[in-house]
């Protein structure tokens, strides 16, 4: 995004009518209706009973009960902002590409320049034992605040955001904050890049550049269903970022992060591709906000070429089943499942397709957890499939060992597929534009 002109779209008014093409709810989810050229009305669909943790209690209906006056079709950022602020329950159809009509230069204030920032905090000048402070860091923070105000859009309770065919949300962070009952489906999310990454020489052994924005952030929220979306860094991949102070200039954060005491979330049939920090469930080891929460189901997602956090979990009872993992290269790959503080991951019937250079012991990483249940998982290397005991393989290489019982058995699911079918089913049907 830096220096690049973003799409300048005309400010079209929010319209209060569902698209004419849509069939009635009676035809929802019917492949026959779809084949007949009548797409089901995705805006009125609700999370099926028992479909993961988001079906607990009151379930997840989003804006499905919206009266006609609360149904919006949005084609640009201003329209999306207006629809999110409109009375609920609300259904928001995203049409076409929604982008940010400003550049990074438009957000920079108080004399911030990357050149100035690099000059001020070069380890040769600033050292490596304290975080940046002073005028240039203040200018960076103020610039970041201006970008946040423009691109971080709050999603309120009782909302469904659903993409019409080809819908894309680019350079924007949807923030489901202190909300209940939200559905986000059938949207391509691209490149929620931070214009003002922060250098932290004390993060890790060599320091890190950290960025603020996820494509979707879920904080302090319950009953959220994230389904059939595609997440990528678009035309701004990490591989094309520069290296400063010997570390990659990381402009991205998560693709779908679920934190700050969120609970009852189902993440299903999404495609997550070519990204570093993909899905964080729990952002702090402090138990005050998250212990007993962060119940999340992650099923039938495709992870293709991602580096880490698939997902990384703290505290939560997280059911990870029937996902398709593709790891093409050991080079950038770090791990798939991050076993964090008091996490209770139940990893079941997933399919891991690894290149020969990837060590299967690296599918798990211990971030301070103690145990994980793994059953029915399948490993494919060099065209050959075989069962893999994730915990045993991890323990053979690492100490301390992880326990093999996360202490719970998931009951909220609509059926676990055999791992053998996961590769075909998920690669065919995960992501935006694939709802049957
Ligand atoms: Ca995040
Ligand atoms: Ca061991």
């Amino acid at each position: 995004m830096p220096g690049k002109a973003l799409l300048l779209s005309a400010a079209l008014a929010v319209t209060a009518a569902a698209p004419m093409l849509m069939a009635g709810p009676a035809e929802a989810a019917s492949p026959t209706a779809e084949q007949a050229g009548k797409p089901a009305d995705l805006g009125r669909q609700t999370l099926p009973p028992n479909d993961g943790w988001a079906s607990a209690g009151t379930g997840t209906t989003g804006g499905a009960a919206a009266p006609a006056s609360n149904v919006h079709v949005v084609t640009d950022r201003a329209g999306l902002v207006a629809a999110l602020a409109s009375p609920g329950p609300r259904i928001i159809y995203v049409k076409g590409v929604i982008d940010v009509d400003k550049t990074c230069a438009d957000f920079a204030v108080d004399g911030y320049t990357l050149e100035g920032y690099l000059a001020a905090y070069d380890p040769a000048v600033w050292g490596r034992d304290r975080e940046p402070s002073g005028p240039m860091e203040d200018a960076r923070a103020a610039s970041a605040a201006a970008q946040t105000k423009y691109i971080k859009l709050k999603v309120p309770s009782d909302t469904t955001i659903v993409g019409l065919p080809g819908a894309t949300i680019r350079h924007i962070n949807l923030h489901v904050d202190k909300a209940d009952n939200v559905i986000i489906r059938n949207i391509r999310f691209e490149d929620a890049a931070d214009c003002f990454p922060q250098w932290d020489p004390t993060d890790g052994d060599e320091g890190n550049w950290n960025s603020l924005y996820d494509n979707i952030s879920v904080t302090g929220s319950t009953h959220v269903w994230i389904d059939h979306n595609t997440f990528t860094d678009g035309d701004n991949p990490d591989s094309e970022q520069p290296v400063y102070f010997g570390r990659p200039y990381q402009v991205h954060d998560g693709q779908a992060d679920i934190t700050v005491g969120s609970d009852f979330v189902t993440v299903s049939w999404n495609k997550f591709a070519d990204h570093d920090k993909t899905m964080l469930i729990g952002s702090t080891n402090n138990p005050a906000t998250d212990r007993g929460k962060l119940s999340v189901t992650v099923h039938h997602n495709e992870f293709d070429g991602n580096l880490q956090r698939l997902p990384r979990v703290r505290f939560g009872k997280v059911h990870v089943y029937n996902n398709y993992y593709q790891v093409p290269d050991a080079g950038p790959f770090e791990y798939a499942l991050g076993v964090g503080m008091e996490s209770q991951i139940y990893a079941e019937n997933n399919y891991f397709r690894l290149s020969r250079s990837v060590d299967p012991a690296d599918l798990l990483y211990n971030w301070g957890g103690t145990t994980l249940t793994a059953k029915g998982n399948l490993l494919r290397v060099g065209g050959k499939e075989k069962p893999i005991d994730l915990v045993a393989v991890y323990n053979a290489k690492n100490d301390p060992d992880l326990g093999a019982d996360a202490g719970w058995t998931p009951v909220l699911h609509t059926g676990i597929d055999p791992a053998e079918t996961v590769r075909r089913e998920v690669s065919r049907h995960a992501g935006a534009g694939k709802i049957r």
Side-chain angles (χ1 to χ4, degrees):
M1 185 143 75
K4 227 177 283 176
L6 303 180
L7 183 79
L8 185 66
S9 47
L12 297 177
V14 173
T15 57
M20 301 294 288
L21 281 177
M22 298 221 161
E27 285 172 284
S30 159
T32 312
E34 205 163 37
Q35 286 155 8
K38 289 189 204 168
D41 187 348
L42 302 182
R44 297 285 176 189
Q45 290 185 1
T46 59
L47 179 69
N50 300 315
D51 190 352
W53 275 114
S55 70
T58 52
T60 302
T61 59
S69 57
N70 293 4
V71 177
H72 311 275
V73 180
V74 301
T75 59
D76 62 7
R77 178 194 158 279
L80 178 56
V81 168
L84 289 168
S86 71
R90 62 190 70 66
I91 300 172
I92 303 172
Y93 294 97
V94 174
K95 186 176 181 186
V97 178
I98 292 190
D99 203 336
V100 171
D101 52 355
K102 287 182 185 288
T103 67
C104 287
D106 294 327
F107 300 123
V109 294
D110 299 344
Y112 174 88
T113 62
L114 178 58
E115 294 71 24
Y117 193 82
L118 292 172
Y121 305 113
D122 188 319
V125 175
W126 183 258
R128 286 188 173 272
D129 54 3
R130 60 195 171 123
E131 295 176 22
S133 62
M136 197 49 79
E137 169 57 23
D138 291 347
R140 188 209 62 77
S143 304
Q147 187 187 8
T148 295
K149 194 174 171 191
Y150 205 73
I151 78 157
K152 195 174 184 78
L153 306 186
K154 275 207 184 186
V155 180
S157 296
D158 306 319
T159 300
T160 291
I161 306 176
V162 60
L164 295 171
T168 299
I169 293 182
R170 188 178 291 155
H171 301 136
I172 283 172
N173 173 200
L174 289 186
H175 186 197
V176 183
D177 181 41
K178 301 183 193 73
D180 179 65
N181 195 27
V182 170
I183 295 174
I184 302 173
R185 302 180 77 198
N186 204 40
I187 296 169
R188 182 179 179 88
F189 288 93
E190 291 182 359
D191 187 29
D194 192 332
C195 295
F196 310 99
Q198 183 177 32
W199 170 244
D200 182 355
T202 72
D203 180 352
D205 294 337
E206 304 164 88
N208 273 314
W209 290 96
N210 291 310
S211 279
L212 283 179
Y213 310 112
D214 311 318
N215 295 99
I216 298 176
S217 309
V218 179
T219 57
S221 295
T222 47
H223 298 110
V224 179
W225 185 30
I226 299 171
D227 177 74
H228 277 100
N229 303 288
T230 295
F231 297 84
T232 85
D233 295 336
D235 66 357
N236 191 31
D238 288 352
S239 58
E240 292 183 14
Q241 304 304 322
V243 170
Y244 296 126
F245 308 156
R247 299 296 292 157
Y249 191 62
Q250 178 54 269
V251 299
H252 301 114
D253 194 35
Q255 290 186 316
D257 284 0
I258 300 157
T259 60
V260 199
S262 293
D263 211 1
F264 309 128
V265 178
T266 296
V267 180
S268 55
W269 296 101
N270 301 284
K271 177 163 184 171
F272 298 94
D274 302 323
H275 190 85
D276 185 350
K277 302 170 187 175
T278 302
M279 191 190 314
L280 180 64
I281 300 176
S283 59
T284 166
N285 284 344
N286 180 345
T289 47
D290 292 324
R291 184 179 278 157
K293 297 183 178 173
L294 298 174
S295 307
V296 181
T297 301
V298 178
H299 76 83
H300 293 97
N301 299 284
E302 180 173 3
F303 297 99
D304 185 1
N306 300 66
L307 272 59
Q308 59 171 323
R309 304 186 179 178
L310 316 174
R312 171 179 173 177
V313 180
R314 294 174 169 101
F315 297 104
K317 290 183 170 69
V318 175
H319 191 197
V320 180
Y321 75 89
N322 286 160
N323 299 286
Y324 177 30
Y325 293 83
Q326 298 188 75
V327 185
D329 183 4
F333 177 69
E334 296 184 25
Y335 63 90
L337 300 171
V339 184
M341 168 87 85
E342 297 184 24
S343 62
Q344 294 176 269
I345 297 172
Y346 196 105
E348 183 173 19
N349 289 21
N350 298 289
Y351 191 105
F352 296 94
R353 185 185 188 190
L354 310 184
S355 82
R356 290 178 196 279
S357 65
V358 179
D359 184 342
D362 294 341
L363 288 172
L364 303 186
Y365 189 88
N366 187 351
W367 286 105
T370 57
T371 187
L372 169 147
T373 300
K375 55 183 280 193
N377 296 293
L378 205 57
L379 176 68
R380 181 191 183 93
V381 178
K384 291 203 177 94
E385 290 176 354
K386 63 177 183 184
I388 177 171
D389 181 336
L390 293 170
V391 175
V393 169
Y394 172 87
N395 286 346
K397 183 182 179 184
N398 298 282
D399 293 309
D401 285 1
L402 290 169
D405 181 2
W408 69 294
T409 303
V411 293
L412 290 174
H413 58 77
T414 56
I416 314 287
D417 295 328
E420 289 79 3
T421 68
V422 166
R423 180 185 171 213
R424 187 189 69 232
E425 284 298 302
V426 172
S427 58
R428 279 187 190 170
H429 301 300
K434 301 283 189 72
I435 296 177
R436 289 173 278 179

